[in-house]
Amino acid sequence: MSERILKIKLGVCKRLSKEVASYEDEVKKEESKLERMKKEKSDEYDIKKQEEILGESCMMIPDSKRRFQDSIRDLSNFLEERDHMSDLADSEEFIEAK
């Protein structure tokens, strides 16, 4: 049972790590797109919409980072509580999580 919970918690950490990286990449892409639009003197409406898109992407990063940090803290607490359990200590997931 503990090994299953460990796999789930480790999977959550991995997924949230990828999510944070994805949002950070998205912000970079949207920033470059906005700069390109400004250089090309695109329509003001399009530039304003692009700024809104960029703002929405930027707002997602703090929430994703907070959830990622919470999942790491949760995993860390789980590992500390079960550090002495021999059935988990030898598992591949336990070693990876450490």
Side-chain angles (χ1 to χ4, degrees):
M1 180 68 170
S2 292
E3 190 169 338
R4 181 173 178 265
I5 294 170
L6 175 60
K7 283 182 182 181
I8 291 169
K9 292 183 183 297
L10 188 57
V12 168
C13 289
K14 287 179 182 179
R15 179 180 49 81
L16 290 173
S17 171
K18 290 177 184 177
E19 184 177 301
V20 169
S22 173
Y23 279 123
E24 289 173 343
D25 287 344
E26 183 179 331
V27 166
K28 289 177 187 175
K29 288 177 186 174
E30 297 300 336
E31 284 174 340
S32 66
K33 184 175 180 181
L34 179 61
E35 288 303 313
R36 184 174 33 85
M37 290 174 75
K38 287 180 178 180
K39 284 181 184 177
E40 295 173 355
K41 301 199 187 308
S42 295
D43 185 54
E44 284 184 42
Y45 176 79
D46 292 337
I47 291 174
K48 193 164 222 51
K49 280 296 177 189
Q50 185 61 34
E51 288 172 342
E52 289 176 16
I53 291 170
L54 177 60
E56 289 174 6
S57 296
C58 288
M59 287 190 304
M60 295 304 295
I61 293 174
D63 179 57
S64 295
K65 283 185 177 180
R66 180 193 52 78
R67 289 185 294 126
F68 177 53
Q69 290 168 346
D70 289 347
S71 71
I72 289 173
R73 198 173 306 113
D74 186 38
L75 177 61
S76 179
N77 290 339
F78 179 82
L79 292 174
E80 285 177 14
E81 292 170 1
R82 286 153 183 84
D83 198 23
H84 62 282
M85 297 177 75
S86 62
D87 67 323
L88 276 182
D90 296 332
S91 76
E92 197 175 300
E93 289 82 13
F94 187 81
I95 294 167
E96 183 180 355
K98 281 280 193 173

